[in-house]
């Protein structure tokens, strides 16, 4: 078995782990920093909305255009008196996009580009989109995201509990903000392909989150029937039991998406391929991060507010104190929890070596030696 396989097996069995829940304030800080950077990028640069959302015209020149991108941009801007965006496609053709153009302005811009290239006007492909259709596209995209989030909340509340539904929404909003912020920072155009990619990555993120939640639910199902672990410790065991699986799944998904983004879009040009690939790549990475270090810690923070859970944890910590357990017992030299401690237990919540008759995480009594 490979090293990664051995690590995954040890994490699953709880023999070693990382204290994700115990370090949740650190993860919250990192998450906040990412979100702030994304919001700053969105506020300072804004999103470049495609013509499908704003209305306008797109002109595509024949392959191997004889003018540069800068020249095509100047021609379009001077003729239409609007900002223009020019992109070179994989076959050497130029894609010139000008927003908020009417039919007359579109014809003039097309003719000016044809004159500069020395080709007939009909050789310049032109697509005109009205602003009213763009408004409809924007409304439909927002409705799709809202409906998706509402259905996700209902499903999670029924399948798990409302606290997990809230935590999943927090993770999904994080993924959306990060993806939108990256789009603003790099200046990519927002198209219907972008919306499709975002809805797809929300599904991937939800999948990872549900896998973790299912293991957390399994670990904490018999919480009150055992007197060795706190809720946060059992939840942390659930994360560690699934972390390798989540990372492996995401890496396998990121490889082909990365190929589409960095190789396919470079060879074939931009367009729909690039729009979908960027949102998928950023969203998959953000979704993996949020499902591991955001979703479950938020559940723990909400769950430990329950009187029954709080009383259970208080009783365990008091029993440990009476047993002479030192608060904040350091981890072993290899970074794992000490013997008899739940792997990855937060500082102050580590369990001493289980005495004879103490209950294990499954609620069964351990036999005395």
């Amino acid at each position: 078995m490979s090293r990664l396989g051995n690590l995954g097996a040890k994490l699953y069995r709880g023999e070693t782990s990382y204290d994700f829940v115990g370090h949740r304030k650190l993860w919250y800080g990192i998450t906040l920093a990412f979100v702030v950077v994304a919001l700053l990028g969105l506020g300072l640069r804004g999103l470049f909305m495609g013509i499908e959302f704003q209305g306008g015209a797109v002109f595509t020149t024949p392959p191997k255009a004889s003018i540069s991108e800068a020249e095509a941009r100047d021609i379009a801007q001077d003729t239409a008196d609007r900002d223009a965006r020019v992109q070179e496609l994989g076959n050497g053709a130029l894609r010139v996009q000008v927003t908020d153009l009417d039919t007359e302005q579109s014809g003039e811009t097309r003719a000016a580009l044809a004159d500069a290239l020395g080709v007939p006007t009909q050789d310049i492909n032109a697509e005109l989109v009205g602003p009213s259709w763009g408004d409809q596209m924007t409304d439909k995209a927002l409705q799709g995201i809202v409906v998706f989030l509402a259905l996700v909340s209902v499903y999670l509340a029924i399948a798990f509990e409302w606290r997990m539904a809230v935590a999943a929404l927090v993770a999904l909003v994080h993924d959306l903000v990060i993806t939108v912020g990256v789009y603003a920072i790099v200046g990519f155009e927002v198209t219907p392909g972008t919306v499709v990619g975002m809805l797809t990555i929300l599904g991937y993120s939800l999948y990872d989150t549900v896998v973790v939640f299912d293991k957390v639910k399994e670990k904490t199902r018999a919480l009150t029937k055992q007197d060795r672990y706190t809720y946060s410790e059992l939840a942390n065991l659930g994360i560690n039991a699934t972390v390798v699986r989540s990372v492996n799944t995401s890496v396998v998904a990121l490889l082909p998406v990365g190929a589409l983004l960095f190789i396919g879009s470079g060879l074939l040009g931009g367009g729909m391929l690039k729009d979908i690939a960027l949102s998928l790549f950023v969203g998959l990475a953000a979704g993996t991060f949020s499902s591991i270090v955001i979703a479950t810690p938020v559940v723990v923070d909400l769950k430990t507010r329950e009187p029954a859970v709080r009383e259970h944890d208080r009783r365990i910590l008091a029993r440990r104190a009476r047993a002479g357990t030192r608060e904040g017992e350091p981890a072993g030299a290899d970074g794992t929890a000490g013997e008899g401690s739940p792997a990855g237990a937060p500082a102050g919540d580590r369990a001493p070596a289980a005495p004879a008759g103490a209950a294990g995480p499954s609620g069964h009594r351990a036999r005395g030696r």
Side-chain angles (χ1 to χ4, degrees), residues 221-298:
R221 182 179 290 115
L223 174 69
T224 57
K225 296 180 181 179
Q226 55 83 40
D227 57 358
R228 185 179 179 187
Y229 299 121
T230 64
Y231 183 87
S232 63
E233 292 168 355
L234 292 176
N236 193 69
L237 290 174
I239 298 177
N240 280 275
T242 56
V243 63
V244 172
R245 173 182 176 181
S246 296
V247 171
N248 285 342
T249 302
S250 298
V251 168
V252 170
L254 282 170
L255 290 176
V257 173
L260 286 175
L261 178 61
F262 298 110
I263 300 176
S265 61
L267 295 176
L268 303 178
M272 188 74 71
L273 182 66
K274 181 187 69 177
D275 300 333
I276 295 178
L278 178 64
S279 58
L280 282 176
F281 190 86
V282 176
L284 281 171
T288 303
F289 176 86
S290 64
S291 66
I292 295 173
V293 301
I294 297 178
T296 300
V298 170

Side-chain angles (χ1 to χ4, degrees), residues 48 51 54-57 59 72-86 96-106 108-109 131:
F48 184 82
I51 62 167
Q54 294 188 81
F59 307 96
R73 184 183 302 106
D74 291 339
I75 292 170
Q77 291 181 164
D78 292 342
T79 306
D81 195 24
R82 299 282 193 282
D83 288 336
R85 170 171 284 205
V86 181
V96 183
Q97 176 176 317
V98 186
T99 58
D100 196 21
L101 280 185
D102 56 27
T103 304
E104 181 179 352
Q105 292 172 318
S106 173
E108 294 174 356
T109 304

Side-chain angles (χ1 to χ4, degrees), residues 10-30:
K10 289 181 178 180
L11 288 170
Y12 185 83
R13 293 192 298 265
E15 296 174 5
T16 184
S17 69
Y18 179 80
D19 190 3
F20 292 103
V21 174
H23 293 90
R24 57 187 179 276
K25 291 184 178 179
L26 170 64
W27 297 118
Y28 289 164
I30 295 174

Side-chain angles (χ1 to χ4, degrees), residues 120-132:
T121 303
Q122 58 267 25
D123 287 353
I124 304 293
N125 182 50
E127 300 176 14
L128 185 64
V129 178
S132 60

Side-chain angles (χ1 to χ4, degrees), residues 58-75 85-97 113 116-117 123-126:
V58 175
F59 307 96
T60 306
T61 68
K64 299 180 180 179
S66 59
I67 60 176
S68 65
E69 294 182 35
E71 291 172 332
R73 184 183 302 106
D74 291 339
I75 292 170
R85 170 171 284 205
V86 181
Q87 180 181 22
E88 184 176 355
L89 303 181
N91 58 0
L94 297 179
R95 182 176 184 268
V96 183
Q97 176 176 317
L113 288 171
L117 290 167
D123 287 353
I124 304 293
N125 182 50

